[in-house]
Amino acid sequence: LIAESKMSGGEAGRLGNIMTNPEGEFVGLPAPATAPGPATPVMTPHGGQRRPNLLQRPCMYLACFVKSLPVLFITGIVLWSYYAYVVALLFYAMVENPAEQIFCGIVYHYFFIMFFWSYGMTIFTPPGRVPDSWHLTGHASAALSAAKSEEEWKETLASVGNKMGCTTKQRSVQGAIRYCEKCSCIKPDRAHHCSVCEKCILKMDHHCPWVNNCVGFGNYKFFMLFLCYALLYCIFIAATSARYFVRFWSDSLSIGAAKYHIIFVFLVSILFTISIFSLFWYHVYLVTQNRSTLEQFRAPVFEDQATDKDGWSLGALNNFKEVFGLNPLLWPFPVSTSVGDGISFPHRRAKQFTNYHSIVNSDNRAVETPTRTLVNPIISGAGTVSASQTIHSHQSSVQQSGNISALSGTVSPLSATEVVLDTNGHTKTVSVHHPTTTTAVAANSTTHTAPPSEIIIQ
């Protein structure tokens, strides 16, 4: 849509372009420059921005501190739980059972180390940003801003994408290549813009305030391990401290003020177990379906304008390997083993159709060959013979029948031809012999002898 207003003297002056971006939001594009000249470089979040001045820096630091509060809270809770479990429970409550002390101490420290390892990797690992080669130059952005209609905007963006070598299979709801106005870049498949991080994230799942980071292609495995070890950590603390929690109310076990730490660590571990349990299994489901949280709520649209929520799914096992890697020995450890580059992904819609009957839609329903009617002319050197036939095509057989009548002259059996449908639903011209008709349709076709008034092809 273009907003225009009439100026004095009947001339139309364009105020600017108002059109929907690929995500369906209304954005205002600046009007193109009236005078030719070098295009202004586009400032992108990944580099080239001005540094904040002295007045902006305090606000920036304060915002960073506020965003870090959930991380500091989780870290403080875990460090306190370490004191409550190791000092209060292991050293005081379990002092009468050395075997239990050793076993619980070893298992607890394993979960503690793996939890903090995966948590730290989730926080400090970049989720993945769009490469510089996917960002539009100043000239390309100016050409895109100069579009006078939505169709021209789509065509310009497609042309720019082809020149840049940006190949994508996912499209916007308007059928255009997905484009980020804020980052001035073409979005790779499954990438989305994060309003908190202020940049586009590869295979973005969501922005998690508890890790103060986006969860995307680069750290999704670490996030899954973080949830897994957090759940195991809380379950283990609750299970091993439950007996002593009950003893505090049933007998005269007294260990001083340490018992209050055990009581609270038991209650806190139960609360965190309940909250983490549903979140962990929800993401396990997403991994097996090869979907992100955003794709779970809105299915991706592909280049054939089909919406398919399972478009990226390759089977439960392959979906799991895409996130955790091909080596099962490295699955439990927070090391980078994910398959791919985060830009292009295999998808189940990339199927090559060799013939009509090999097409399978995304809803797994086979396409049946429709019934067709065809009037086949039979042409010879001495005259023309017409025949009206109905051809029924079903699965791999085609049957043709009809009466042949001479309009003029005689028919030469050696030069007569007709148009038929083969087993793949394609038309082809074959020779018709008299009185014996031999027709080769495909490699698995058979030859039949029939009267001149009836032709059967199987």
Side-chain angles (χ1 to χ4, degrees):
L1 300 177
I2 303 175
E4 294 184 349
S5 64
K6 292 185 177 181
M7 302 175 63
S8 60
E11 296 180 356
R14 192 172 70 170
L15 300 179
N17 292 343
I18 305 295
M19 61 178 63
T20 56
N21 67 1
E23 298 302 328
E25 302 173 349
F26 286 93
V27 296
L29 300 179
T34 56
T40 303
V42 178
M43 307 302 289
T44 57
H46 65 278
Q49 289 182 331
R50 295 180 180 178
R51 299 184 62 181
N53 55 37
L54 294 178
L55 296 178
Q56 294 175 337
R57 288 181 184 179
C59 296
M60 184 184 65
Y61 295 148
L62 179 60
C64 293
F65 174 76
V66 173
K67 293 179 182 179
S68 302
L69 287 179
V71 177
L72 297 177
F73 174 76
I74 293 296
T75 304
I77 290 291
V78 175
L79 292 178
W80 167 77
S81 68
Y82 183 88
Y83 170 83
Y85 193 89
V86 175
V87 177
L89 187 62
L90 290 181
F91 290 166
Y92 286 94
M94 296 183 181
V95 66
E96 299 177 355
N97 194 339
E100 184 181 14
Q101 279 183 321
I102 296 174
F103 173 78
C104 291
I106 294 175
V107 177
Y108 172 82
H109 281 91
Y110 172 77
F111 289 147
F112 180 82
I113 293 173
M114 297 304 294
F115 167 77
F116 254 116
W117 187 6
S118 58
Y119 188 47
M121 292 296 291
T122 307
I123 295 173
F124 298 107
T125 302
R129 66 175 181 86
V130 178
D132 296 344
S133 58
W134 289 67
H135 289 262
L136 270 64
T137 62
H139 293 282
S141 298
L144 195 62
S145 301
K148 299 180 180 180
S149 65
E150 185 176 357
E151 291 301 325
E152 183 181 352
W153 186 86
K154 293 180 182 179
E155 294 176 358
T156 303
L157 182 60
S159 176
V160 171
N162 291 333
K163 293 179 181 179
M164 297 171 59
C166 302
T167 304
T168 60
K169 303 175 181 67
Q170 192 174 350
R171 295 293 183 266
S172 66
V173 293
Q174 291 91 3
I177 294 177
R178 301 189 312 135
Y179 175 72
C180 180
E181 297 283 349
K182 298 177 181 179
C183 297
S184 186
C185 71
I186 296 176
K187 294 181 182 179
D189 291 335
R190 313 185 76 174
H192 297 274
H193 183 86
C194 177
S195 58
V196 180
C197 298
E198 297 183 350
K199 60 183 178 181
C200 288
I201 305 299
L202 298 180
K203 193 186 175 182
M204 179 179 175
D205 187 89
H206 68 288
H207 184 90
C208 181
W210 298 107
V211 299
N212 192 24
N213 196 5
C214 262
V215 178
F217 174 79
N219 61 352
Y220 190 62
K221 176 190 176 182
F222 307 146
F223 177 76
M224 287 295 301
L225 292 177
F226 156 64
L227 293 179
C228 178
Y229 286 119
L231 182 61
L232 294 176
Y233 181 79
C234 294
I235 291 176
F236 180 78
I237 291 179
T240 54
S241 63
R243 181 165 64 95
Y244 297 94
F245 176 81
V246 174
R247 288 185 61 184
F248 291 146
W249 308 99
S250 60
D251 56 24
S252 58
L253 178 64
S254 178
I255 55 175
K259 71 175 183 179
Y260 297 107
H261 290 282
I262 298 176
I263 292 174
F264 282 108
V265 79
F266 172 78
L267 296 177
V268 170
S269 63
I270 291 294
L271 293 176
F272 275 93
T273 298
I274 295 174
S275 61
I276 297 174
F277 183 84
S278 58
L279 181 62
F280 171 70
W281 288 110
Y282 172 72
H283 277 278
V284 169
Y285 168 77
L286 293 181
V287 169
T288 57
Q289 301 299 315
N290 205 335
R291 301 177 199 164
S292 65
T293 301
L294 298 176
E295 293 166 350
Q296 176 68 13
F297 289 98
R298 186 172 67 180
V301 180
F302 291 89
E303 53 190 349
D304 57 356
Q305 297 304 301
T307 301
D308 189 358
K309 63 180 180 179
D310 296 321
W312 305 111
S313 180
L314 305 174
L317 181 58
N318 290 329
N319 295 339
F320 185 86
K321 290 181 178 180
E322 188 174 296
V323 176
F324 284 85
L326 305 177
N327 189 355
L329 298 178
L330 298 179
W331 289 351
F333 301 100
V335 293
S336 181
T337 57
S338 298
V339 179
D341 55 2
I343 298 177
S344 59
F345 299 88
H347 59 102
R348 71 190 189 108
R349 302 184 64 83
K351 183 175 293 186
Q352 300 297 328
F353 304 136
T354 57
N355 54 64
Y356 187 83
H357 299 285
S358 66
I359 300 177
V360 179
N361 287 340
S362 59
D363 56 1
N364 296 326
R365 292 181 298 179
V367 179
E368 296 182 357
T369 306
T371 301
R372 300 181 181 182
T373 302
L374 180 65
V375 178
N376 298 327
I378 302 177
I379 304 174
S380 65
T384 302
V385 176
S386 64
S388 178
Q389 290 113 355
T390 300
I391 301 175
H392 301 280
S393 175
H394 180 68
Q395 300 298 329
S396 61
S397 64
V398 178
Q399 182 175 354
Q400 176 189 15
S401 62
N403 296 322
I404 302 176
S405 59
L407 298 179
S408 63
T410 59
V411 178
S412 174
L414 298 178
S415 59
T417 60
E418 69 171 338
V419 180
V420 298
L421 289 179
D422 61 14
T423 56
N424 290 327
H426 303 137
T427 59
K428 64 182 302 181
T429 303
V430 298
S431 299
V432 178
H433 301 279
H434 179 78
T436 301
T437 303
T438 303
T439 306
V441 178
N444 57 351
S445 302
T446 57
T447 304
H448 295 271
T449 301
S453 61
E454 187 179 52
I455 301 175
I456 299 177
I457 305 174
Q458 294 182 344

